[in-house]
Amino acid sequence: DNSEEGQPTLSSLSTHVKDDDLVSDIATTLHNIGLLRSKCGEPKKAEKAFTQSLSLRVKKFGLDDPGVSTTLRALGDLYFNEKRYDDSFRSYKESLRICKLHCGIPDLNAAELYYNIGLVFYSKGPYSKSKVSTMECLRIRREHCGNNNLNTASALYLLGLISSAMGEYDDAINQFEEALAIRRNIIGIKSPNHLLLINV
């Protein structure tokens, strides 16, 4: 035995890795069950599966595990669809914290979470918080995807809705028109769907 006293042996390390893999597999399976339960219209069963997945991951890997962020986002989606906006916001906010911790510079996953938070505040208020979050989403999407991108257009469209709700009609018109121009450009003149947009 060449291992030093108090140091883990190769055998114990291998067992630890296998144990980590097993817990991760179980947590991922529970996460996927949650997604399917949600799609099947079974929110209570979906929530149970998601929370079981979270409990396993947090206990084994800690609060900052990327898998925790993924399941929190799914749980946020579930709560949003159930109009549980406060719960949805808390889930998205914690998911975003973990996401930013791992990616450093905000990436497209962070942009998606900012967008989701924008939707939450658009639904429950205040609109000012919705605007701040959605503008951050737009900034990141423009940085990563450019202006001529459907994800950029979707953020602009949501901003248009928020601006309209806030009575900022000139801003809303500009945001809607920019979103429309991007979508028309991407669809292209040759697409049959372009005809549906001509008279919008």
Side-chain angles (χ1 to χ4, degrees):
D1 184 4
N2 294 324
S3 64
E4 297 181 13
E5 186 176 352
Q7 295 297 314
T9 64
L10 184 60
S11 176
S12 67
L13 284 173
S14 177
T15 300
H16 179 71
V17 170
K18 288 179 180 178
D19 185 43
D20 285 356
D21 288 344
L22 179 59
V23 172
S24 181
D25 287 347
I26 294 171
T28 299
T29 301
L30 284 165
H31 174 94
N32 290 337
I33 289 171
L35 292 175
L36 291 173
R37 291 292 191 188
S38 182
K39 287 182 180 180
C40 292
E42 299 174 322
K44 290 184 179 179
K45 291 181 178 180
E47 182 179 7
K48 182 178 179 181
F50 285 141
T51 53
Q52 287 176 336
S53 175
L54 280 175
S55 179
L56 276 175
R57 283 198 179 277
V58 170
K59 186 175 181 179
K60 186 66 178 178
F61 305 113
L63 289 168
D64 298 334
D65 179 65
V68 171
S69 177
T70 300
T71 299
L72 280 168
R73 181 165 61 178
L75 198 53
D77 292 342
L78 177 71
Y79 290 147
F80 181 82
N81 291 332
E82 291 292 297
K83 297 181 170 35
R84 294 168 58 180
Y85 298 126
D86 290 339
D87 291 333
S88 180
F89 169 66
R90 282 190 288 268
S91 295
Y92 287 146
K93 183 181 178 182
E94 180 62 9
S95 179
L96 179 60
R97 182 194 68 79
I98 300 167
C99 180
K100 289 166 70 176
L101 183 68
H102 288 278
C103 70
I105 299 173
D107 62 3
L108 291 175
N109 288 322
E112 183 71 19
L113 286 161
Y114 277 116
Y115 182 88
N116 291 346
I117 291 170
L119 280 175
V120 169
F121 283 114
Y122 176 69
S123 301
K124 72 182 283 288
Y127 292 131
S128 58
K129 289 188 176 181
S130 179
K131 184 174 183 178
V132 169
S133 189
T134 307
M135 286 183 70
E136 181 63 10
C137 166
L138 178 61
R139 183 192 69 78
I140 298 169
R141 285 181 174 177
R142 276 182 164 154
E143 183 177 316
H144 285 269
C145 305
N147 287 322
N148 194 37
N149 181 274
L150 288 176
N151 288 324
T152 301
S154 69
L156 281 163
Y157 183 77
L158 178 54
L159 271 177
L161 293 175
I162 297 164
S163 296
S164 178
M166 295 177 73
E168 299 170 354
Y169 300 125
D170 288 342
D171 287 343
I173 289 170
N174 289 334
Q175 288 151 356
F176 284 143
E177 287 182 341
E178 187 175 355
L180 182 61
I182 292 170
R183 287 168 172 165
R184 280 177 167 165
N185 185 55
I186 290 174
I187 288 175
I189 299 294
K190 294 181 180 180
S191 169
N193 291 326
H194 179 76
L195 296 176
L196 300 175
L197 296 171
I198 292 295
N199 295 319
V200 172

